[in-house]
Amino acid sequence: MNQKWDDRYKEQGFAYGKDPNVFFKEWLPKFNPGSIVMPADGEGRNGVFAAQSGWKVTSFDLSIEGKSKALHLAKESNVTLDYIVGNLNELQFEKETFDAIGMIYAHFLAEHKSSFHKKLDTFLKPGGIIIFEAFSKSHLPYKKANPKVGGPRDINELYSKEEITEDFKNYEVLHLEEEEILLNEGKYHIGKGAVIRFVGRKQ
Ligand SMILES: C[S@@+](CC[C@H](N)C(=O)[O-])C[C@H]1O[C@@H](n2cnc3c(N)ncnc32)[C@H](O)[C@@H]1O
């Protein structure tokens, strides 16, 4: 399972670029810095941005190659990341540890999606925020027309507003939209795609 990601991150350059995701960059500065967990942080572009913005960052991902690239990027950017290699299946943090969760293109197997969201929720303090962007269920025709935009092939790994509302029903919704956007992230997110963008505050 992590071989795909290790192979991708072993390639030269940063798969999704070194710059943070546009939506994450727009929303994170609206909140006071504290501790943030970054599930599926890959090569760390978003974790590093959070650290540069004054957050204490805990990243995790399946890929050891992702960790190595992320630590390199952190060093180059004069920040530190606490980066754990592991599957969210097995990872455990204390209840209500973090002030925020940053989930950017954290696509999980269909059978795990919802339970992973519920598990992540337990790590967040009441009043904590989540910033989320991932491909929506309307994305498949975009991927078919232009494979360079990336994203999962299986519609069940993609998201809908209804699923997000259900998984995070104990959240005040600050933003929840399905949007067509133009991605320009490294060499694996290039072109038009359909995404869900969500920002919520845990009640
Ligand atoms: C499309 S990449 C996104 C990387 C990063 N968030 C970004 O936007 O640059 C998806 C990432 O999810 C990670 N991933 C998938 N399933 C996971 C799991 N069960 N536990 C931890 N990481 C996982 C993969 O290793 C991969 O790095």
Side-chain angles (χ1 to χ4, degrees):
M1 175 63 198
N2 60 2
Q3 192 59 49
K4 168 186 165 182
W5 296 108
D6 280 340
D7 289 348
R8 178 164 294 188
Y9 297 149
K10 260 192 242 168
E11 291 171 15
Q12 257 202 342
F14 279 66
Y16 304 101
K18 291 182 174 180
D19 294 331
N21 170 264
V22 168
F23 184 67
F24 188 64
K25 185 178 173 187
E26 177 193 338
W27 273 89
L28 189 67
K30 298 183 195 281
F31 304 101
N32 290 329
S35 56
I36 186 166
V37 64
M38 304 289 305
D41 200 26
E43 294 169 312
R45 62 190 177 114
N46 298 304
V48 165
F49 171 73
Q52 285 175 318
S53 311
W55 291 76
K56 181 175 179 298
V57 181
T58 302
S59 297
F60 69 82
D61 197 282
L62 291 174
S63 171
I64 187 140
E65 298 293 337
K67 174 177 180 172
S68 154
K69 292 283 249 321
L71 295 189
H72 181 82
L73 184 61
K75 192 167 177 205
E76 188 178 287
S77 313
N78 290 315
V79 294
T80 54
L81 295 181
D82 179 16
Y83 196 117
I84 300 163
V85 175
N87 190 325
L88 179 52
N89 240 347
E90 293 142 18
L91 286 179
Q92 215 36 273
F93 298 99
E94 291 286 316
K95 261 184 83 174
E96 300 179 2
T97 299
F98 299 103
D99 298 297
I101 301 173
M103 287 187 81
I104 304 300
Y105 295 100
H107 286 279
F108 301 123
L109 293 179
E111 63 268 32
H112 292 148
K113 255 176 18 179
S114 196
S115 62
F116 278 5
H117 287 168
K118 287 178 181 147
K119 183 173 183 181
L120 286 166
D121 167 69
T122 66
F123 306 152
L124 190 64
K125 295 176 189 169
I129 55 136
I130 179 163
I131 302 175
F132 174 104
E133 178 174 301
F135 291 113
S136 83
K137 289 195 187 292
S138 313
H139 181 65
L140 291 181
Y142 292 89
K143 183 177 165 78
K144 199 166 169 212
N146 167 31
K148 286 176 83 176
V149 72
R153 258 180 234 111
D154 178 355
I155 193 157
N156 298 308
E157 291 180 29
L158 300 168
Y159 294 98
S160 67
K161 277 166 73 171
E162 291 71 25
E163 285 173 341
I164 294 298
T165 305
E166 175 60 28
D167 289 354
F168 298 103
K169 58 178 167 229
N170 51 330
Y171 285 62
E172 176 194 354
V173 175
L174 305 178
H175 182 103
L176 179 59
E177 296 293 341
E178 179 167 13
E179 290 177 40
E180 178 190 279
I181 62 169
L182 186 59
L183 282 161
N184 184 15
E185 302 187 317
K187 60 175 175 177
Y188 286 100
H189 278 172
I190 300 280
K192 262 194 229 164
V195 300
I196 302 288
R197 288 174 155 176
F198 169 58
V199 183
R201 191 192 307 275
K202 186 172 174 177
Q203 305 282 31

